[in-house]
Amino acid sequence: MSSGEANMTTTELVPLVEMRDIRVAFGGVHAVDGCTVDLYRGEVVGLVGGNGAGKSTLMRALSGAHPPDSGEIRIDGQPVSITNPRDAKTLAIETIYQTLALADNVDAPSNVFLGREVTTRLGSLDDSAMESATRTVMGRLNPNFTAFKTQVKSLSGGQRQAVAIARAVYFNAKILIMDEPTAALGPAETAQVRALIRQLKSEGIGIFLVSHDIHDVFDLADRISVMYHGQIVGTVNKDEVTIDQVLGMIILGKRPEEVTQKELAKLHG
Amino acid sequence: MTATAGTVETAGAQPTEALARWARRNAWSLGLLAFFAALLVFTKFIQPSYGVTGVQGLAISVLPLALAAVAQAIVVISGGIDLSIGSMMALTNVVAASLMLGRSDEFAVVVVVGVLLLGLVLGAVNGALVVLTRVPDIVVTLAMSFVWAGCALLVLKTPGGGSAQWLKDLVLGPLGNEWIPKAAIVLVLIVGLIWWAVRRSRFGLSLYAIGSNQLAAFRSGVSVGRAKVFAYALTGLFAAFAGLSLTASTGIGNPLSGSYTLQSVAAVVLGGVSLAGGRGGAFGPIVAVLILALLRTDMTFLNLNPNLATSAQGIILIGVVMVGTLFQIRRGRP
């Protein structure tokens, strides 16, 4: 917890992640148009914006799912090149997607270890090692989880999200990207995931939280970066703004001090 | 308290629980097996003379299609489809037959190994094209089926060539007990060994993962392209086994050896492999091939027009898939 608070004041520290002037274009559409964001250890940075603002595309540049056209990414101050998800994982960057992206027809341990399977000396899959490791990490995340041998397609949304998070936690993620982590979940499961995010944050993990849900973001984030039409409108400390001000940034694409009274009136209809 | 109860329960009930899970997962294959057994009884009923000869004939006649069905199953599980299996079989069949004609047994061993490698290469070419061009699997493999079929005709214009005697002896006739066909043992050995190795490997897991959700597999760090090429190469290998089994069982090479491609698709669907990918195994399709072959035999015994048998196969296929889907919908909504 103390490390999380320390980061709020010691901005002279090297950020865990710096993304500078990132650009991603799809044909002629500039989905991400010169964005700069950063993230410190033990910090949650909320990334908000309307549909198509470029939040997910910006995060895909960091997770390796869609490399940027230009711009620089630094991890712990070192410039890195991330061209595919495996590069990101070697840098301890893990991603949890809104679509609960799991391989439906295989079981939880196989999903946790997918792409990084544990093998025996003969090179065959070590199922029992993977299962016991999954049991250990799941015991920490969600002690009620017992479905280690069933295909994940028959699990509930919360259980599936737990599998996705277990994957990130097991491999000692330093940087976690959560793309709408609660979008597909019910209220109880949402609360569970929120508690989990706080726990991970207190362990010193830096988290980018992409969300539509402004309350989620206000509840969890230390700083909030607002995106509008592929650009960063601004990054604000959560404690210094109101929900309405952030909503104004999302909808109008302007910082609170730039918003005129007329626009404000229109916004409140 | 609950945790202790849980562990005690799992420790005590593990074997039966595992067995039940296994049965649940393989319910479709077990059902097919039961159906096949019933069909055998029915066959004996309508044709009391059906016996050793019938079983031997069945085994040798299904061997090429059974291997082709396994070939198709591999690539379908990975979420693709290979319409060039029949052509790859024809090509490997004629290459083997033309090279073996009049040559020594030792040379035939080299030919067999070479033809298996050829199958791997043909499949890898298919896979590489699918991955690199990003053209849908069905289009690429359909196009390649013409290429491989053309190559087969270049090698042999008409049926011909020959087979080493030891290769024929490998699949023809019984082994030990007159009821045990060599062809069945060859099938079980080839499929059993390779399938077991695949299921125990990282590649096997990526096969099912890609078939389930290619995007999720990619985001998890699976090398999707490499796994796909591997899947197609393995399919090519099994197509080569199938082609060689044709050479062995017929003793010659035939550049136009029949409609194995679509029959392999039929067997895969009937065998419980989802065309959507990610589900199924090698056992179901093999039993499906046995059922389809035995049905054809039964129709001959019943003096039905053999052309009708082909139509009947199609109707059975649609019926089975419909019933299967119905069960799935039922299970989905308890």
Side-chain angles (χ1 to χ4, degrees):
Chain A
M1 200 63 218
S2 60
S3 67
E5 271 158 15
N7 283 322
M8 300 301 293
T9 49
T10 52
T11 37
E12 68 275 11
L13 273 173
V14 181
L16 187 58
V17 182
E18 291 171 272
M19 300 180 78
R20 287 193 193 147
D21 200 26
I22 302 292
R23 287 170 201 277
V24 183
F26 298 108
V29 182
H30 297 276
V32 173
D33 195 9
C35 285
T36 299
V37 289
D38 57 3
L39 175 71
Y40 290 85
R41 236 168 269 285
E43 183 188 38
V44 176
V45 170
L47 203 54
V48 297
N51 276 325
K55 315 177 293 276
S56 296
T57 309
L58 180 62
M59 286 300 106
R60 278 202 283 272
L62 183 60
S63 70
H66 190 105
D69 299 328
S70 68
E72 191 186 30
I73 300 176
R74 284 166 179 263
I75 306 292
D76 285 326
Q78 300 297 316
V80 294
S81 145
I82 302 174
T83 55
N84 61 46
R86 253 165 300 137
D87 289 347
K89 283 168 205 294
T90 13
L91 292 164
I93 303 170
E94 296 283 341
T95 314
I96 289 158
Y97 289 96
Q98 59 185 339
T99 44
L100 305 176
L102 300 172
D104 272 340
N105 296 311
V106 299
D107 56 19
S110 299
N111 263 292
V112 169
F113 285 89
L114 193 57
R116 287 173 290 201
E117 298 84 356
V118 180
T119 50
T120 62
R121 262 179 303 169
L122 294 173
S124 70
L125 293 175
D126 194 341
D127 285 331
S128 54
M130 291 195 280
E131 192 189 319
S132 73
T134 307
R135 278 182 192 277
T136 311
V137 66
M138 210 51 111
R140 227 176 92 200
L141 298 178
N142 184 351
N144 298 325
F145 189 97
T146 52
F148 291 98
K149 288 214 164 104
T150 44
Q151 302 179 337
V152 296
K153 75 174 154 209
S154 49
L155 302 184
S156 74
Q159 287 176 317
R160 288 167 63 92
Q161 194 61 288
V163 173
I165 294 174
R167 178 156 71 192
V169 171
Y170 178 78
F171 289 99
N172 297 317
K174 284 197 303 188
I175 300 150
L176 203 56
I177 303 166
M178 303 184 109
D179 193 346
E180 306 276 1
T182 59
L185 304 183
E189 293 170 331
T190 298
Q192 239 175 43
V193 171
R194 282 188 187 187
L196 204 56
I197 292 175
R198 283 195 201 90
Q199 186 192 334
L200 297 175
K201 172 182 145 85
S202 72
E203 289 170 12
I205 296 173
I207 300 173
F208 273 121
L209 176 67
V210 179
S211 185
H212 268 104
D213 185 346
I214 196 80
H215 298 285
D216 242 9
V217 173
F218 258 78
D219 186 31
L220 296 164
D222 301 303
R223 289 184 299 146
I224 301 171
S225 290
V226 181
M227 286 190 78
Y228 184 80
H229 286 219
Q231 296 180 323
I232 299 281
V233 178
T235 300
V236 293
N237 282 335
K238 181 191 69 181
D239 300 332
E240 296 164 8
V241 290
T242 63
I243 289 192
D244 275 353
Q245 281 173 323
V246 174
L247 281 175
M249 290 170 81
I250 294 172
I251 297 165
L252 300 168
K254 290 179 177 174
R255 296 183 65 90
E257 60 271 18
E258 298 166 351
V259 178
T260 61
Q261 283 304 314
K262 204 173 146 194
E263 284 172 325
L264 210 59
K266 217 167 148 191
L267 196 59
H268 290 286
Chain B
M1 170 67 201
T2 45
T4 342
T7 44
V8 167
E9 193 186 345
T10 44
Q14 205 130 50
T16 37
E17 199 188 317
L19 195 69
R21 191 179 296 118
W22 179 84
R24 224 174 14 252
R25 278 206 184 161
N26 295 286
W28 185 261
S29 301
L30 293 176
L32 282 179
L33 203 58
F35 184 71
F36 176 62
L39 205 58
L40 271 178
V41 172
F42 176 71
T43 309
K44 184 79 188 162
F45 178 71
I46 58 168
Q47 187 73 24
S49 69
Y50 192 85
V52 171
T53 340
V55 170
Q56 292 288 348
L58 181 68
I60 193 70
S61 70
V62 299
L63 183 59
L65 184 55
L67 289 164
V70 175
Q72 192 68 269
I74 292 165
V75 77
V76 169
I77 287 170
S78 82
I81 192 163
D82 192 337
L83 296 186
S84 71
I85 287 178
S87 300
M88 289 195 287
M89 283 171 68
L91 180 54
T92 49
N93 170 224
V94 295
V95 166
S98 58
L99 288 178
M100 279 187 211
L101 184 64
R103 303 298 290 267
S104 68
D105 282 357
E106 292 75 28
F107 185 73
V109 177
V110 180
V111 171
V112 166
V113 174
V115 163
L116 292 177
L117 286 176
L118 173 68
L120 270 176
V121 172
L122 297 180
V125 170
N126 284 345
L129 284 174
V130 167
V131 171
L132 295 178
T133 64
R134 300 192 179 196
V135 174
D137 308 54
I138 197 165
V139 179
V140 169
T141 57
L142 181 63
M144 292 315 288
S145 77
F146 297 121
V147 176
W148 304 140
C151 291
L153 282 165
L154 280 178
V155 176
L156 268 186
K157 279 193 188 59
T158 49
S163 166
Q165 190 57 44
W166 66 264
L167 189 62
K168 290 190 213 166
D169 291 342
L170 204 62
V171 296
L172 293 174
L175 185 76
N177 188 317
E178 57 172 5
W179 284 95
I180 302 172
K182 282 183 189 165
I185 292 174
V186 167
L187 180 67
V188 168
L189 278 181
I190 293 175
V191 177
L193 280 177
I194 297 180
W195 192 255
W196 176 78
V198 164
R199 285 311 305 258
R200 298 300 313 151
S201 70
R202 299 182 60 180
F203 162 70
L205 179 56
S206 13
L207 201 67
Y208 280 84
I210 293 172
S212 304
N213 189 337
Q214 188 172 326
L215 188 61
F218 168 70
R219 284 170 169 175
S220 304
V222 173
S223 324
V224 172
R226 202 169 59 192
K228 275 196 165 179
V229 173
F230 215 93
Y232 274 96
L234 202 57
T235 294
L237 176 68
F238 270 100
F241 272 123
L244 279 173
S245 75
L246 278 175
T247 310
S249 60
T250 61
I252 56 162
N254 182 355
L256 304 164
S257 48
S259 58
Y260 285 107
T261 302
L262 292 181
Q263 287 199 48
S264 73
V265 176
V268 156
V269 171
L270 188 56
V273 177
S274 162
L275 281 180
R279 272 216 329 270
F283 182 58
I286 290 177
V287 183
V289 166
L290 287 170
I291 289 173
L292 290 175
L294 195 54
L295 274 174
R296 199 172 262 273
T297 312
D298 284 357
M299 292 203 190
T300 326
F301 289 153
L302 291 170
N303 275 327
L304 290 170
N305 186 335
N307 292 322
L308 195 67
T310 312
S311 304
Q313 262 183 11
I315 292 166
I316 289 165
L317 189 65
I318 291 182
V320 166
V321 172
M322 271 169 54
V323 171
T325 315
L326 213 70
F327 269 117
Q328 249 173 15
I329 293 171
R330 278 265 189 86
R331 218 187 308 172
R333 269 184 272 142

